[in-house]
Amino acid sequence: MIMAQVKYVRALVLIILALSIVSTLILLLNTAQAQPMPIQSIKVNNGVISYYESLQSMAPGIVIRVYVINGSIIKPVNAFVSIYANLPNGVTPMMHTYGSVITLPFNESAWSFIINEWLGTGVPVNDYNTSLLVFVTYISGNDSWVVPMIIPYNVGWVLAARGVKVAPMNPAVPRYIVVSININVNTIKPFKVIRTKINSTGELDPQVFGSYGGYVLYNCSVSGPQPSIYMPLPYEFIPESTCLGINGTLPLAWITWDKSVRQYDNKLLTYLGVYYSGTVSWDAMATNYGDIGTSYSTGESWTLAISINMSSTQGPGSLYWAYGGTWALVKYDAWYVDVTTGYTWYLGSVTVSEILYVPRQEQLTYGVDYGNGPISTLYYGAIAVSKGLISYPVLNASSVIDYASFTPNPLTGAEQLSMCNGLVYNTTGTLGTIYYITLGGVKYAINTAQLGTGIGSLAAGIVSLAAPSPYSIIAGIVATGLGIASIILPSSSTTVTNTQLELLGIAKGTNLYISVMVASKAFGIPTFGFILNATNYYGNPTSYSCKYGKVIIIS
């Protein structure tokens, strides 16, 4: 009898254990289903963006989670969140709110205006990705942090979530975007919260708008449906944005020569070739934060080459390839007001430089710039900005990624080629020997944050170019209103890129110094540049390091 009871108890225990195991497995399976793998995840400086095809218990759309990092502690925090949509011609606010978890479903009415603005371009939605621009303001005691982030998305995803058929779409269409924005209070310098009067910067002086040397400056704060501002009584949060839009020519690749090249190397024939094929992505940059994500991307296919003979030039100048586009400088300010006392606290600001729109398969244009074109704008605008705001020229030796020179050997007089960080190739044809420097390759990345920090003064001889008006205007706006001093210039990447400088006419007695740089417009337009000089490298460096460092006799 006792043995029978023991067997019964053992059997009951086994049954309970088995049921427990089955329940645990079911729970794990349900948990696994509740946490699907993302289609893609993107890590940026201030967080992570994950794209999902399906998620449970939420409507298709965007979820933003705000975290603070303090040492080894990571925890969710409440913060003020402003969401702006990037449009082909500007930015418009979609939401101002407060919390640690913010949702923006795709069926929100605010999306209707955004969709129509993009559909108005006539470009198929599958041909480009645009983005949202998000600002998070977190307050702790007398410190505040204003953290920006870009959230890339496709208009077709919003349409699909609203039941609008968009074809053809990729098999996996993201319907949910989950964003983690991290505020690292140990590495991000805070603003000191100060009591002040509201000094509105929401409007630019209309006198600055207009056309300047081929560039159109305009107010790019687009007037659309305005969201309500979150007001936790008795306090009021006041966000404010200023947007300067710039339409014009954006340089892709260029060669600049100074007067010494025309004097000593006038038989030189130069070619500038470009090959870009695939998706081009433009990354936005923000003061003190660097790269905050891809603001715009589209497919381009550029395969072209042009040449110029130094003997036919009219003076120091630049030969360039360029394309048309729109970029914006967006400044965001935040205040906190006690409506019962009238006291106002300024919480800080941040400025973002971003590309808004470049047409797919945009035609490249070329030209020679003798002081009033896009390359002069690139040079001189940066000088004004860097001297006025940073107090030193930011295009310096750190922007140069390679050196090469053709010079007579000081002992024998034989012409020699010096190669610094890579090979200078050559080929022989009916016209003679062509030497060429090629930059690029599969998934080659242009990263100005790593290879250089901006644009600034020119080498001796180039400064004789006449400064054009566009950047005098732009630099003045920046210096007085937009505070762009701490911007780290953006990176850009393409599926396949190739930029090539070719030189014909190198002979005994040639003196030619070539500085290869990753450069950018002062406000963040990535581009390759080659600077030619007959006396020294760009900036007259007294020393530089070479990884390759090979010298060969060529004649």
Side-chain angles (χ1 to χ4, degrees):
M1 182 70 175
I2 294 175
M3 291 296 294
Q5 289 178 341
V6 171
K7 289 181 179 180
Y8 174 77
V9 171
R10 286 178 176 173
L12 185 61
V13 170
L14 289 172
I15 291 171
I16 293 172
L17 181 61
L19 289 173
S20 176
I21 292 172
V22 171
S23 298
T24 302
L25 288 173
I26 292 172
L27 181 61
L28 288 172
L29 286 172
N30 287 337
T31 302
Q33 292 175 353
Q35 300 294 331
M37 292 293 292
I39 299 171
Q40 183 184 15
S41 287
I42 301 172
K43 187 179 185 305
V44 293
N45 285 345
N46 299 328
V48 178
I49 307 168
S50 297
Y51 299 84
Y52 294 86
E53 189 175 6
S54 63
L55 284 176
Q56 292 185 353
S57 303
M58 67 168 283
I62 297 172
V63 177
I64 297 173
R65 302 180 186 276
V66 183
Y67 297 92
V68 68
I69 300 175
N70 190 352
S72 60
I73 299 174
I74 303 176
K75 63 178 183 179
V77 292
N78 290 323
F80 294 101
V81 178
S82 295
I83 303 175
Y84 291 79
N86 286 327
L87 301 173
N89 62 337
V91 300
T92 190
M94 295 185 71
M95 175 182 286
H96 301 296
T97 188
Y98 181 80
S100 62
V101 180
I102 310 300
T103 60
L104 180 60
F106 286 147
N107 59 9
E108 281 281 338
S109 59
W111 284 104
S112 299
F113 178 78
I114 312 304
I115 293 169
N116 288 333
E117 289 292 300
W118 280 106
L119 293 181
T121 65
V123 180
V125 295
N126 293 327
D127 286 356
Y128 63 90
N129 282 344
T130 180
S131 59
L132 301 180
L133 176 57
V134 179
F135 299 96
V136 175
T137 304
Y138 170 64
I139 308 169
S140 178
N142 291 324
D143 293 330
S144 63
W145 291 261
V146 182
V147 178
M149 180 180 278
I150 288 285
I151 304 176
Y153 75 96
N154 188 281
V155 173
W157 305 345
V158 185
L159 291 171
R162 290 170 156 235
V164 179
K165 188 175 181 181
V166 181
M169 291 291 286
N170 293 328
V173 178
R175 292 165 53 85
Y176 307 86
I177 305 174
V178 179
V179 183
S180 297
I181 298 181
N182 303 325
I183 304 166
N184 193 326
V185 298
N186 303 120
T187 60
I188 301 173
K189 185 179 179 180
F191 291 91
K192 290 298 178 182
V193 177
I194 55 174
R195 204 170 85 181
T196 182
K197 293 182 179 180
I198 292 182
N199 181 20
S200 176
T201 60
E203 293 185 4
L204 288 166
D205 184 348
Q207 293 183 6
V208 308
F209 303 138
S211 298
Y212 305 93
Y215 290 86
V216 178
L217 277 63
Y218 65 98
N219 183 353
C220 57
S221 294
V222 177
S223 178
Q226 297 297 306
S228 60
I229 296 176
Y230 180 83
M231 185 185 296
L233 293 175
Y235 299 99
E236 179 181 5
F237 175 68
I238 301 180
E240 193 172 56
S241 63
T242 304
C243 184
L244 174 66
I246 307 168
N247 277 329
T249 302
L250 314 180
L252 177 68
W254 44 272
I255 307 168
T256 294
W257 59 91
D258 78 341
K259 61 183 180 182
S260 66
V261 175
R262 295 184 68 250
Q263 181 178 354
Y264 298 109
D265 301 313
N266 63 353
K267 294 182 180 179
L268 187 67
L269 179 64
T270 64
Y271 293 82
L272 179 63
V274 293
Y275 171 40
Y276 282 58
S277 178
T279 300
V280 182
S281 299
W282 288 267
D283 288 0
M285 291 289 136
T287 49
N288 301 319
Y289 292 97
D291 192 331
I292 60 170
T294 298
S295 62
Y296 186 79
S297 60
T298 189
E300 303 290 359
S301 180
W302 296 322
T303 306
L304 295 161
I306 47 174
S307 65
I308 191 167
N309 196 314
M310 286 297 111
S311 63
S312 67
T313 60
Q314 301 172 18
S318 301
L319 177 71
Y320 65 87
W321 284 111
Y323 57 94
T326 302
W327 87 90
L329 303 173
V330 183
K331 186 186 180 188
Y332 178 83
D333 292 276
W335 285 270
Y336 200 44
V337 181
D338 185 332
V339 294
T340 61
T341 65
Y343 292 152
T344 302
W345 289 268
Y346 183 60
L347 305 180
S349 68
V350 66
T351 300
V352 173
S353 167
E354 58 175 350
I355 288 291
L356 297 177
Y357 178 65
V358 176
R360 179 177 173 84
Q361 305 301 338
E362 170 72 352
Q363 264 196 327
L364 287 184
T365 60
Y366 67 91
V368 181
D369 178 354
Y370 288 115
N372 58 354
I375 308 304
S376 297
T377 301
L378 180 151
Y379 285 133
Y380 284 97
I383 291 175
V385 171
S386 62
K387 284 185 177 179
L389 298 176
I390 312 176
S391 300
Y392 65 88
V394 291
L395 181 58
N396 50 35
S398 66
S399 299
V400 178
I401 61 172
D402 199 7
Y403 294 106
S405 66
F406 298 88
T407 57
N409 184 286
L411 297 178
T412 65
E415 190 70 16
Q416 64 184 24
L417 165 62
S418 300
M419 296 170 281
C420 184
N421 290 327
L423 284 171
V424 175
Y425 300 92
N426 69 82
T427 183
T428 301
T430 56
L431 297 177
T433 302
I434 299 174
Y435 295 90
Y436 57 96
I437 299 172
T438 300
L439 299 171
V442 177
K443 295 184 178 178
Y444 187 93
I446 308 168
N447 195 325
T448 56
Q450 294 175 359
L451 298 175
T453 55
I455 298 298
S457 65
L458 291 171
I462 301 176
V463 292
S464 59
L465 290 170
S469 59
Y471 258 118
S472 301
I473 301 295
I474 298 172
I477 297 168
V478 172
T480 56
L482 291 174
I484 205 165
S486 302
I487 272 194
I488 302 173
L489 298 176
S491 61
S492 177
S493 60
T494 67
T495 306
V496 178
T497 76
N498 185 299
T499 303
Q500 186 163 291
L501 167 70
E502 297 184 9
L503 302 166
L504 180 65
I506 301 293
K508 188 174 180 179
T510 297
N511 277 279
L512 183 64
Y513 294 83
I514 306 164
S515 302
V516 184
M517 21 190 47
V518 172
S520 181
K521 277 195 178 238
F523 307 124
I525 309 303
T527 176
F528 274 134
F530 303 89
I531 293 184
L532 309 183
N533 196 297
T535 56
N536 202 346
Y537 293 119
Y538 172 79
N540 299 310
T542 56
S543 64
Y544 51 89
S545 59
C546 295
K547 296 178 181 177
Y548 184 66
K550 188 175 182 180
V551 179
I552 60 173
I553 300 298
I554 59 174
S555 65

